[in-house]
Every structure is written in C-alpha cells, then in structure tokens.
Amino acid sequence: DRVDFNPFFHHIIDRFEMNKVEHIAFERLIPDERVFVWMDQDKITQVLDNIISNAIKYSPEGGTIRFHTEKRRNKLEISVSDEGMGIPTEKVDKIFERFYRVDRARTRKLGGTGLGLAIAREMIEAHHGEIWAKSKEGKGTTVFFTLPLMKKRRDQS
Ligand code: ATP
Ligand code: MG
C-alpha cells in the first residue's frame, strides 16, 4: 500500500505510549511533512513493534526513547534510540542474526527468542531497505532503517 509514513509512525508510537511504563519518556522528532512509502503496513508494524519493544526492554529507569524520521534523497530514514546499556561494538552487527542475543545471562530474565531483529531485517530487505544499529556501551543504542520513498505524483502538491 501507499502509506503516508509519519502519521503511521505516530500511530504506532501512540499505542506504545498508552501502555508504557511511567519511568520511560518518549520524544518524537518527526517532521510534519507528507512522505509516501510503498509498503506492507502489517510487516512494517511488526518491525517497529520489535525495535520499540527492545528499546523499552533495555531502557533504564528515567531513560528517554527518541523517535526520528528524516528524508535522505530518495529514501526515508527511520530511527529509534534508547539510553540503555548498549551493545559492545564488535557485537552490534550480530544482533540481526537469528537467535543471537548479546548476553545470555542478561537477556534470559528479559525474555525473547532472539528472532525479532532477524525477522525485521528480512522484512526491511524485502522492501529494498536497509537496517543497521549504532551503539555505545553504557550510553545507549540506535536502530536505523530505510524505506524507499515514492516519487511525488503530479496531481499531488
Ligand atoms: P525477541 O525479539 O525474539 O523477543 P530479542 O529481543 O532477544 O527476542 P532481537 O530483538 O532479535 O531478540 O534482539 C537480539 C539481541 O540484540 C537481544 O537479545 C539483545 O541482546 C540485543 N539488543 C536488541 N536491541 C537492543 C537494545 N535496544 N539495547 C541493547 N541490546 C539490544
Ligand atoms: Mg526483540
């Protein structure tokens, strides 16, 4: 479907904000601009659900989660950052592998199968996008992905 991404993103964040724990703050850096993406809404919802759940799961008390979208040439870049414990540099790329979990002892109590980001990567690649993460141990993690933007229709201002 052709989706106006920013309102779609707000809607997903709203859903998490309604149920969220009080000690985590949300901050949105989402421009008030119409950006159209051709995508499977259910699949991208699943991708965002996992990224946002991870950000919440690994956020410390009093942490802020930041949501951001930005147009970059013919792509839209979406990111979610947290102020959690982060991921060691040499392990950041591995989190997109199936069943990979950074620290078994640490993650055991937090639950999950280690499949969320592997599925997210498959879905983003099926949309001809890219997904990656940047992280600093003790500072936090940002997960980014891109989706190709649709060309503007001539009948649309
Ligand atoms: P599932 O998503 O299947 O419930 P999961 O959350 O453990 O399980 P992924 O979402 O694939 O699996 O994440 C893989 C691993 O990457 C996690 O177990 C965790 O170690 C690490 N990770 C993911 N997101 C973050 C984050 N925001 N901060 C710190 N570590 C993270
Ligand atoms: Mg997960």
Side-chain angles (χ1 to χ4, degrees):
D1 303 357
R2 180 171 173 273
V3 177
D4 187 1
F5 195 86
N6 287 330
F8 161 82
F9 195 23
H10 275 298
H11 184 77
I12 289 176
I13 301 164
D14 289 341
R15 181 157 50 74
F16 277 94
E17 197 153 43
M18 278 194 290
N19 302 303
K20 95 173 158 53
V21 280
E22 270 169 37
H23 66 262
I24 299 169
F26 279 10
E27 199 175 292
R28 307 183 195 206
L29 290 141
I30 301 170
D32 212 350
E33 138 183 73
R34 283 153 75 84
V35 281
F36 291 98
V37 173
W38 188 259
M39 67 183 206
D40 182 323
Q41 288 206 50
D42 292 344
K43 298 210 160 119
I44 300 301
T45 298
Q46 207 183 321
V47 168
L48 283 166
D49 279 353
N50 179 59
I51 294 171
I52 298 169
S53 310
N54 286 347
I56 292 171
K57 194 151 71 166
Y58 296 104
S59 274
E61 243 177 79
T64 299
I65 298 177
R66 292 185 174 80
F67 302 91
H68 185 213
T69 69
E70 197 174 333
K71 268 200 309 200
R72 292 195 186 278
R73 294 169 178 233
N74 55 346
K75 288 174 185 163
L76 185 68
E77 187 180 283
I78 299 107
S79 67
V80 177
S81 52
D82 65 63
E83 299 177 330
M85 79 270 268
I87 302 162
T89 314
E90 70 275 13
K91 292 178 175 165
V92 173
D93 294 333
K94 294 212 169 103
I95 64 173
F96 298 99
E97 292 172 10
R98 277 168 182 274
F99 306 115
Y100 186 79
R101 328 215 32 209
V102 171
D103 176 345
R104 272 155 217 286
R106 179 183 86 181
T107 48
R108 195 179 300 128
K109 63 175 195 296
L110 293 170
T113 57
L115 270 173
L117 289 173
I119 294 168
R121 181 172 68 177
E122 264 175 39
M123 289 180 177
I124 294 302
E125 286 175 354
H127 283 77
H128 305 288
E130 290 175 288
I131 184 166
W132 69 100
K134 285 185 186 163
S135 189
K136 263 212 170 86
E137 259 185 294
K139 292 262 182 210
T141 302
T142 305
V143 176
F144 300 85
F145 65 90
T146 60
L147 288 170
L149 284 169
M150 291 179 76
K151 288 209 186 83
K152 264 204 178 137
R153 281 191 190 158
R154 235 176 309 175
D155 60 341
Q156 170 198 310
S157 54

